[in-house]
DNA sequence: ACGTTAATCAACACAGTGTTTATTAAATAG
DNA sequence: CTATTTAATAAACACTGTGTTGATTAACGT
């Protein structure tokens, strides 16, 4: 079996480091933290860090990828297959897979709040938007009639907008329930800029 | 007179450093560059750097502030005072102050492309969105009827969306003219999510 | 219980930081 | 044009953090 994913010592080391990363990012942002501070906080020898990760950027990458993988899984499994008109549904209920996504955001809010905040990682924002774009492309292109606005700009607009809502939620203290946010996202995506852009 | 803003030696030093910053950011991103590489590129003694700036973050801050100041000036001077219905105008023409803004973006595209890209500075994105929010608040709140979506989320949505359009433009090689982009922004802001959100 | 291997500790050269000193060269005021 | 001011330079300093290595200890899986 793959020793790398079963040996409890390895799992512990990685778990501690990811925990330390989340904590230290919250405290002083990603750029201000060092490998030394990371290993000290995790109570891990500094040399051990370099067995598993190249540098702090590598550690961050791995953590981000874990989150993104889970996002993709949720979207893949829950994506609406049949082509419905959601404009009625969305008056009162969020799209189910969007709700699951927001719930997952909520579970990882400590990490995400920092990584999507002003001291965070803009490349993660882009990865997240790319994920949304992939799905929006399907959703939008099949319903697009003749918009005076290029499709790629429309998609950039909506995906960035969704990200903005999520960022605002995390930043302002998550006062709304995941369901409320999922509903906001669903409504804005389905009903929002669509009308103006010439969707039918 | 304020020696700090007239002495040609000082102006030259700052000019060279800001030039070097833009170049090196394009080449390897902000975090990867060092004060040493900056001063080497600018052909400036490293000690001189510390006379004018605390560290590389301070230099970045000052550069960003310069851009933001100019944004604010453009918005302040060009912001529509009387309350019009722009839905007709915007079918064919961008709002004038948005056009001016996009033209300024175009003039500083080298710097902005990097700072708003995946290796850039997320705090600048936030500052930019905050600027937009301030103006959108005026524009939206006075026209808002009864939206089922909280105003602050609506504003976060639109400002983030506008930023996304700008980022997409810069990233994809600026194939559209400033006028085209300004028109896209104007249309989406005035006509876009407004209808759904209950604007009149 | 055994062989394997992850984690530790200490040491290393190295790159970059931020500061200081004396010295040189350029700018401005008169 | 000259005198005076002051910005820029060059060289050195201690310091922090990096990334790697080799020998030793301790925990793991079978």
């Amino acid at each position: 079996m793959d020793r790398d994913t079963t040996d409890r010592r390895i799992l512990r080391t990685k778990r501690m480091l990811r925990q330390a990363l989340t904590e230290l990012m919250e405290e002083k942002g990603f750029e201000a933290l060092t490998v030394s501070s990371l290993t000290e906080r995790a109570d891990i020898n500094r040399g051990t860090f370099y067995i598993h990760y190249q540098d702090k950027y590598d550690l961050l990458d791995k953590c981000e990828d874990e989150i993104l993988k889970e996002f993709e899984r949720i979207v893949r499994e829950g994506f609406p297959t049949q082509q419905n008109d959601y404009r009625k549904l969305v008056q009162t209920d969020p799209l189910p897979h969007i709700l699951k996504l927001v719930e997952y955001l909520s579970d990882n809010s400590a990490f995400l709040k920092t990584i999507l905040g002003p001291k965070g990682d803009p490349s993660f924002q882009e990865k997240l938007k790319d994920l949304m774009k992939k799905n929006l492309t399907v959703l939008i292109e099949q319903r697009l009639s003749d918009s005076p606005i290029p499709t790629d700009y429309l998609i950039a607009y909506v995906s960035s907008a969704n990200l903005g809502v999520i960022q605002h939620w995390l930043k302002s203290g998550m006062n709304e329930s995941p369901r409320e946010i999922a509903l906001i996202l669903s409504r804005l995506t389905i009903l929002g800029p669509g009308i103006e852009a010439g969707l039918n």
Side-chain angles (χ1 to χ4, degrees), chain A:
Chain A
M1 191 176 284
D2 193 358
R3 219 170 188 83
D4 215 62
T5 57
T6 53
D7 194 311
R8 308 206 304 267
R9 289 169 296 183
I10 296 181
L11 294 177
R12 180 186 176 277
T13 297
K14 293 191 172 176
R15 199 177 56 240
M16 300 295 268
L17 281 173
R18 284 163 195 228
Q19 175 63 28
L21 177 65
T22 302
E23 284 180 28
L24 289 172
M25 275 200 315
E26 271 188 285
E27 291 171 23
K28 33 185 205 167
F30 178 72
E31 282 317 323
L33 64 82
T34 64
V35 173
S36 298
S37 69
L38 234 27
T39 53
E40 194 184 340
R41 175 68 62 102
D43 202 26
I44 294 288
N45 189 277
R46 192 168 63 86
T48 306
F49 177 94
Y50 291 102
I51 297 172
H52 301 291
Y53 305 102
Q54 292 209 339
D55 48 36
K56 66 170 181 170
Y57 298 97
D58 188 36
L59 170 62
L60 180 64
D61 253 25
K62 301 269 167 70
C63 292
E64 291 180 350
D65 278 356
E66 216 171 75
I67 303 255
L68 287 170
K69 286 255 166 63
E70 185 62 16
F71 280 175
E72 270 179 334
R73 201 191 57 75
I74 292 173
V75 172
R76 192 170 353 98
E77 289 181 8
F79 200 78
T81 47
Q82 72 229 47
Q83 209 177 307
N84 278 331
D85 186 345
Y86 295 100
R87 278 171 291 181
K88 285 275 159 54
L89 169 70
V90 123
Q91 297 294 342
T92 54
D93 295 289
L95 301 185
H97 72 289
I98 291 188
L99 176 58
K100 278 196 185 122
L101 215 79
V102 178
E103 279 167 348
Y104 183 69
L105 293 178
S106 179
D107 292 340
N108 296 81
S109 58
F111 181 82
L112 286 166
K113 184 182 175 174
T114 313
I115 215 66
L116 292 179
K119 289 178 181 173
D121 176 13
S123 85
F124 185 76
Q125 289 191 26
E126 194 162 275
K127 288 183 210 159
L128 209 59
K129 282 198 276 185
D130 285 343
L131 186 67
M132 289 194 247
K133 283 178 186 173
K134 232 173 51 186
N135 298 113
L136 283 171
T137 306
V138 181
L139 205 71
I140 286 184
E141 270 180 350
Q142 64 192 0
R143 300 174 58 210
L144 197 64
S145 53
D146 57 336
S147 167
I149 292 170
T151 314
D152 56 330
Y153 278 94
L154 193 58
I155 290 172
Y157 183 93
V158 176
S159 58
S160 187
N162 284 342
L163 174 61
V165 168
I166 291 164
Q167 286 175 315
H168 181 69
W169 182 49
L170 292 169
K171 185 186 170 188
S172 62
M174 305 204 296
N175 298 118
E176 294 79 10
S177 68
R179 199 183 175 283
E180 288 175 276
I181 297 301
L183 186 57
I184 289 176
L185 288 172
S186 301
R187 293 179 57 86
L188 283 172
T189 303
I190 298 293
L191 305 174
I195 299 170
E196 130 67 11
L199 301 189
N200 44 20

